[in-house]
Amino acid sequence: PIFSLNEMWLEMDKIWDSLHLNNRKSFRLQNIGDYYSHPVWILNGLFSIRDKESSNHRLLIASYIKNLDKNKNICDFGGGFGELAIKISQHNPNSMVTILEPFISKIGLSRVNSINNINIKSCFDTKYDIIIAQDVLEHIENPINLTKTLINNLNKDGYLIFANCFHPF
């Protein structure tokens, strides 16, 4: 990559600050959509494709899912740029992968538009065998409530996979 993970996070922080957002105030009272719709998330998506560690995490998750007994209906919650969903669809061609993302970019859409076993939704309307929340919970105001929502949208004996970094960088 052209820059480091810390530099990527600094760019994201600059946008957060430029939009006058505050993680000590309720997100419902702020224009969080402006942040998650900002082009910095395209840069973040491109970074995650090129960053060896990020790419390896996605590959490991996709490989792990392939070996699960229930892997036909998969949700990449907060799937953003679509990279994890692409990896999962390649490793699990007989599965349907839903990217559940209210702020997907046009580039993210175009990356997955022609892949037959990926679709995009902005909210839950069905239950899933597997729900993955990679690098999502640390962006949520109330991760415990979101976790309950994720559990409620799992099929019986489904799998919930988290990969998050709460360490304050």
Side-chain angles (χ1 to χ4, degrees):
I2 297 171
F3 47 88
S4 71
L5 179 59
N6 284 338
E7 290 169 321
M8 181 69 244
W9 286 339
L10 283 173
E11 285 304 310
M12 294 163 76
D13 288 346
K14 285 180 193 175
I15 302 307
W16 179 270
D17 292 340
S18 75
L19 294 171
H20 306 289
L21 299 172
N22 185 336
N23 63 357
R24 295 180 189 264
K25 293 181 181 178
S26 173
F27 287 2
R28 287 178 291 251
L29 302 175
Q30 301 180 73
N31 215 348
I32 297 297
D34 285 352
Y35 178 65
Y36 290 109
S37 301
H38 191 279
V40 75
W41 288 96
I42 295 169
L43 182 62
N44 181 63
L46 293 169
F47 176 85
S48 72
I49 293 169
R50 297 290 311 262
D51 180 66
K52 188 175 182 178
E53 187 174 4
S54 295
S55 182
N56 192 48
H57 288 166
R58 286 166 177 78
L59 184 61
L60 289 170
I61 291 170
S63 297
Y64 175 75
I65 288 171
K66 184 176 185 174
N67 296 317
L68 296 177
D69 57 335
K70 290 187 173 195
N71 64 359
K72 297 300 176 210
N73 194 12
I74 302 166
C75 176
D76 178 8
F77 184 84
F81 207 59
E83 187 62 16
L84 177 59
I86 291 168
K87 294 275 190 261
I88 292 169
S89 74
Q90 291 168 343
H91 281 78
N92 302 275
N94 295 322
S95 298
M96 177 52 72
V97 183
T98 298
I99 299 172
L100 203 143
E101 175 60 71
F103 304 108
I104 195 156
S105 67
K106 289 180 182 178
I107 294 174
L109 281 170
S110 68
R111 295 186 73 234
V112 300
N113 200 28
S114 64
I115 302 173
N116 291 334
N117 65 331
I118 295 179
N119 64 36
I120 299 165
K121 296 181 182 179
S122 61
C123 60
F124 283 111
D125 65 359
T126 189
K127 292 193 176 211
Y128 295 91
D129 298 324
I130 301 168
I131 298 176
I132 304 112
Q134 181 186 22
D135 297 325
V136 172
L137 294 182
E138 64 270 31
H139 297 275
I140 302 298
E141 186 170 18
N142 192 331
I144 304 256
N145 281 348
L146 176 62
T147 300
K148 290 177 187 176
T149 299
L150 297 176
I151 290 168
N152 289 334
N153 284 283
L154 272 178
N155 286 327
K156 185 178 180 195
D157 298 324
Y159 297 89
L160 184 55
I161 300 171
F162 294 110
N164 299 278
C165 181
F166 287 99
H167 184 50
F169 289 97

